[in-house]
Amino acid sequence: KERMKIDKKLPLLVFRAVALGLGLGVVTLLGMNKISTNDAILLLALSVVFLAASALGEHSKKEE
Protein backbone atom coordinates (compact mmCIF):
# COMPACT_ATOMS: atom_id res chain seq x y z
CA LYS A 1 0.00 0.00 0.00
CA GLU A 2 1.15 3.48 -0.79
CA ARG A 3 0.95 5.89 2.06
CA MET A 4 -0.06 9.44 1.44
CA LYS A 5 2.94 11.67 1.19
CA ILE A 6 2.75 14.51 3.65
CA ASP A 7 4.20 17.72 2.34
CA LYS A 8 6.98 18.65 4.75
CA LYS A 9 6.40 22.35 4.13
CA LEU A 10 2.76 22.19 5.23
CA PRO A 11 3.38 22.74 8.98
CA LEU A 12 5.51 25.79 8.18
CA LEU A 13 2.74 27.16 6.00
CA VAL A 14 0.19 26.54 8.76
CA PHE A 15 2.36 28.36 11.32
CA ARG A 16 2.70 31.35 8.99
CA ALA A 17 -1.02 31.39 8.25
CA VAL A 18 -1.90 31.29 11.95
CA ALA A 19 0.55 34.12 12.68
CA LEU A 20 -0.96 36.19 9.86
CA GLY A 21 -4.48 35.50 11.10
CA LEU A 22 -3.59 36.50 14.65
CA GLY A 23 -1.96 39.70 13.46
CA LEU A 24 -4.88 40.68 11.25
CA GLY A 25 -7.33 39.81 14.00
CA VAL A 26 -5.53 42.02 16.50
CA VAL A 27 -5.39 44.95 14.08
CA THR A 28 -9.08 44.58 13.27
CA LEU A 29 -10.18 44.23 16.90
CA LEU A 30 -8.03 47.17 17.98
CA GLY A 31 -9.56 49.29 15.23
CA MET A 32 -13.04 48.46 16.50
CA ASN A 33 -12.03 48.95 20.18
CA LYS A 34 -13.13 45.38 20.98
CA ILE A 35 -9.90 44.13 22.59
CA SER A 36 -7.81 45.37 25.49
CA THR A 37 -4.21 46.39 24.99
CA ASN A 38 -2.96 43.58 27.23
CA ASP A 39 -4.86 40.96 25.22
CA ALA A 40 -3.59 42.46 21.96
CA ILE A 41 0.00 42.27 23.15
CA LEU A 42 -0.51 38.66 24.24
CA LEU A 43 -1.92 37.68 20.83
CA LEU A 44 0.84 39.51 18.96
CA ALA A 45 3.44 37.75 21.13
CA LEU A 46 1.81 34.43 20.25
CA SER A 47 2.01 35.29 16.55
CA VAL A 48 5.72 36.05 16.95
CA VAL A 49 6.17 32.62 18.54
CA PHE A 50 4.51 31.01 15.51
CA LEU A 51 6.76 32.97 13.15
CA ALA A 52 9.82 31.97 15.15
CA ALA A 53 8.81 28.30 15.01
CA SER A 54 8.33 28.63 11.27
CA ALA A 55 11.76 30.25 10.87
CA LEU A 56 13.42 27.55 12.97
CA GLY A 57 11.74 24.85 10.89
CA GLU A 58 12.88 26.51 7.67
CA HIS A 59 16.43 26.84 9.01
CA SER A 60 16.60 23.17 10.02
CA LYS A 61 15.45 22.05 6.57
CA LYS A 62 18.20 24.08 4.88
CA GLU A 63 20.88 22.32 6.92
CA GLU A 64 19.69 18.82 5.94
Side-chain angles (χ1 to χ4, degrees), residues 27-40:
V27 169
T28 303
L29 290 172
L30 278 174
M32 297 184 325
N33 292 325
K34 298 288 184 182
I35 191 171
S36 70
T37 306
N38 288 339
D39 290 340

Side-chain angles (χ1 to χ4, degrees), residues 7-37:
D7 188 10
K8 292 181 180 181
K9 293 183 180 181
L10 186 62
L12 300 178
L13 178 63
V14 169
F15 281 157
R16 290 180 185 140
V18 169
L20 178 63
L22 283 171
L24 288 174
V26 167
V27 169
T28 303
L29 290 172
L30 278 174
M32 297 184 325
N33 292 325
K34 298 288 184 182
I35 191 171
S36 70
T37 306

